[in-house]
Amino acid sequence: MKEMRLLAALAVCGALAFGVSACSNSSGNSAASLVGLSGGGTQDPVFTPVYETFGSWPQTVMAVGVTVNESETEIHGALTYCKGSDGQWYVKRFENSSDGICKYSDGTTVKESSANSYKWFKVEPIKWRVLTANYNGTGKKLLLAEKILANCKYYDYKDVNRSVNAATVYPNNYEHSKVRAFLNGLSYKQKQASDGAQNECDDFLNKGFLQSAFTPAELAKIADTSVDNSADSTTDSGNNLPKSTDYACGNTNDKIFVLSEREATNSEYGFPAYKRTGTGNARIRQATDYAMASGAYQSSYPGNGGTWWIRSPNAASASTVRHIGGGGDASLNTIVNSEGTGLVPALCVSD
């Protein structure tokens, strides 16, 4: 019997996908750590993730006792760094709690009635999880941020269609979304006036996440990625969801993007089935202090995280998009102009 259990354990280890550096053996006789994730089906093996640090972004609220010299600055895209008395760089931003309350990592709690001041946030290396070393057969490494780093509406209006090259662009169109513009430093068509004129919003032009989070040397390492926005990408990897044939858009060529429904439920990336929730779910992401101050939601339920966008439109509504819930559920929809849904960027790099 012991021999049979050993063989089964070895089989589990051999079946784990890329990104596993070792099998958990905390109990002494199990090859993979198994956790109870709700949502039906069998338990999922916990992949031992591989991490990298790459780029920098404001994340943690400034510690008590640190002061900032606002005359010693550096400009990084849309961000102005100021030097702290501890030798670290800090970024100042206005607090804007999304759900009335946010709790920073230093234990301080901000309620919406008091979230009317500026705070300083330390610029720190961004931690990424390696999902695969060969994204879509390109030989490029796919990295996903380990935390919710920012907050941005998917698009500004839930009921405003646009027209581009005589084609209707719905609110949940990823190619022309505010999210994509923010991540890559692009302009986007915000609204069409009654006379047909387009309002081109250039708030993020050349000063988005891409230009703000990476040095020129780091930018050179980020690959141009052909981002699949087809109807096939809008269903989960188990084919439990209808394809969004009415609202799928053309593929884009981007440096930074957010995952699709299919990617966010890909077991080869270490993700469980799309309705799974619970401790150990690889989709759970905690919001940084900076993201919460910019309006990103963070659940107060133990073990849960915040909510974050994926790029797949809902098949049944032009005004809603798929998103990941605080417990890791990938079967949820939210309105495109939702205030608290955050961003977990993804990118591809070449070694």
Side-chain angles (χ1 to χ4, degrees):
M1 182 64 73
K2 288 182 180 179
E3 194 172 318
M4 291 178 66
R5 284 199 297 266
L6 176 60
L7 288 173
L10 291 172
V12 172
C13 281
L16 296 182
F18 173 84
V20 181
S21 60
C23 289
S24 173
N25 195 25
S26 58
S27 64
N29 59 7
S30 64
S33 174
L34 300 179
V35 295
L37 301 178
S38 63
T42 58
Q43 291 177 315
D44 294 302
V46 174
F47 286 51
T48 302
V50 174
Y51 296 110
E52 293 189 1
T53 55
F54 184 65
S56 300
W57 188 254
Q59 295 178 60
T60 306
V61 69
M62 187 173 69
V64 174
V66 178
T67 58
V68 171
N69 180 2
E70 294 192 56
S71 65
E72 188 175 355
T73 63
E74 285 186 0
I75 303 298
H76 294 256
L79 302 178
T80 300
Y81 290 10
C82 295
K83 184 59 69 74
S85 58
D86 58 354
Q88 303 297 311
W89 290 107
Y90 288 86
V91 169
K92 182 170 66 173
R93 76 152 296 120
F94 194 78
E95 295 173 295
N96 181 25
S97 169
S98 66
D99 64 342
I101 300 176
C102 65
K103 189 171 184 179
Y104 294 136
S105 58
D106 66 353
T108 58
T109 300
V110 174
K111 297 183 179 180
E112 191 155 312
S113 59
S114 61
N116 56 2
S117 61
Y118 286 91
K119 276 193 180 297
W120 290 95
F121 298 87
K122 184 163 68 171
V123 178
E124 299 169 287
I126 302 171
K127 186 177 181 180
W128 305 84
R129 183 177 299 200
V130 180
L131 299 186
T132 176
N134 188 23
Y135 180 59
N136 291 343
T138 62
K140 303 294 191 299
K141 200 161 27 177
L142 175 62
L143 307 182
L144 180 70
E146 190 62 11
K147 292 186 176 181
I148 296 171
L149 297 176
N151 181 58
C152 180
K153 293 179 183 178
Y154 194 89
Y155 176 57
D156 298 295
Y157 307 101
K158 66 178 182 179
D159 53 2
V160 173
N161 294 337
R162 293 153 289 173
S163 179
V164 178
N165 298 325
T168 299
V169 174
Y170 297 103
N172 59 7
N173 180 292
Y174 180 69
E175 181 180 3
H176 298 285
S177 66
K178 184 175 186 176
V179 160
R180 179 172 174 252
F182 170 81
L183 290 174
N184 290 279
L186 307 173
S187 62
Y188 69 103
K189 291 177 172 54
Q190 190 176 45
K191 196 172 184 180
Q192 184 171 321
S194 57
D195 61 0
Q198 296 278 2
N199 173 22
E200 191 82 9
C201 181
D202 59 2
D203 289 351
F204 310 125
L205 186 60
N206 298 321
K207 53 184 178 181
F209 177 82
L210 178 68
Q211 295 81 14
S212 304
F214 304 100
T215 65
E218 290 167 336
L219 285 171
K221 295 180 181 179
I222 302 176
D224 290 316
T225 299
S226 178
V227 178
D228 180 11
N229 299 313
S230 67
D232 284 341
S233 76
T234 68
T235 185
D236 73 289
S237 56
N239 294 311
N240 293 309
L241 292 175
K243 296 179 182 180
S244 184
T245 53
D246 292 335
Y247 305 119
C249 65
N251 293 350
T252 53
N253 193 51
D254 298 326
K255 295 280 191 183
I256 312 285
F257 51 98
V258 290
L259 297 184
S260 68
E261 181 78 32
R262 195 170 191 85
E263 291 167 343
T265 55
N266 187 341
S267 60
E268 293 184 2
Y269 295 168
F271 295 129
Y274 81 112
K275 283 190 176 181
R276 292 292 182 87
T277 61
T279 302
N281 189 313
R283 284 188 294 264
I284 293 176
R285 291 292 184 276
Q286 305 296 321
T288 62
D289 293 339
Y290 182 81
M292 284 191 286
S294 64
Y297 168 76
Q298 168 64 41
S299 172
S300 60
Y301 190 82
N304 278 19
T307 58
W308 51 282
W309 297 112
I310 51 181
R311 66 179 187 267
S312 298
N314 178 18
S317 169
S319 64
T320 57
V321 178
R322 312 296 287 178
H323 81 278
I324 307 300
D329 190 346
S331 68
L332 307 173
N333 299 304
T334 194
I335 297 173
V336 294
N337 60 349
S338 168
E339 293 281 353
T341 307
L343 287 175
V344 179
L347 56 83
C348 287
V349 294
S350 301
D351 284 332

